[in-house]
Structures are given as C-alpha cells and as structure tokens.
Amino acid sequence: MSERDGPPASEPARAAAEPSRAGGAALRTARQQAGFTLADLAEMVGVSAATLSRVETGRGRPSAELLVRCAAALGLDATALDADAEVLDA
C-alpha cells in the first residue's frame, strides 16, 4: 500500500460511501440508456471524464450541482440520480 492510498476504510467510512455508489450506478445506467459515452456526458456537464468516472464508480462524491447538471443533460429529474434525494429538491 502506498502512502497515497492511506489506511483501509473503517466500517463507518464504507457505509458513508454507499450512497455515492448507489447514485453513481444510477447515473451510469441513465447515461448508458440515453446512449451517451462517459466522455459525451462529461463534456455536456463541464467536468472531465475522469471525474465523472469516479462518481459512477463510487470513488468520488458528486456535488448536488453536478447531479442536477447530469440529470438535466439526460432529461431526468435530479432525484432520479441521487441516493440521498432529500438533498435535491430542485
């Protein structure tokens, strides 16, 4: 393990990451169903493909603003992409 990787995540840390994974999976499914590549959607919402990939795989936690932009680009309600829907009443 490198210093950059840090120690293994604790159970609470893993549990806190679960909503991000669930939302990321929903985003990936919606993107694929819409027929967009990762690069397509990333360009549409103004982030790098790497950032969007991290969100889709649960390694990155999206901001509410990013979820709203992704949902709009995919023609969806923002709550469809957010595992913590109460955060997004937009």
Side-chain angles (χ1 to χ4, degrees):
M1 169 175 22
S2 74
E3 241 179 73
R4 202 175 80 169
D5 292 335
S10 66
E11 286 303 316
R14 275 191 218 100
E18 287 303 320
S20 181
R21 278 191 216 118
L27 175 58
R28 174 173 279 167
T29 298
R31 174 183 59 76
Q32 290 173 335
Q33 287 177 346
F36 293 118
T37 66
L38 193 61
D40 292 336
L41 184 58
E43 184 175 334
M44 292 166 69
V45 300
V47 298
S48 70
T51 295
L52 203 52
S53 176
R54 284 190 296 273
V55 170
E56 287 189 353
T57 59
R59 293 177 294 148
R61 200 166 195 109
S63 66
E65 179 186 350
L66 177 56
L67 287 176
V68 168
R69 290 194 322 249
C70 287
L74 297 169
L76 300 172
D77 181 85
T79 57
L81 300 180
D82 188 31
D84 295 324
E86 70 275 6
V87 173
L88 297 177
D89 287 330

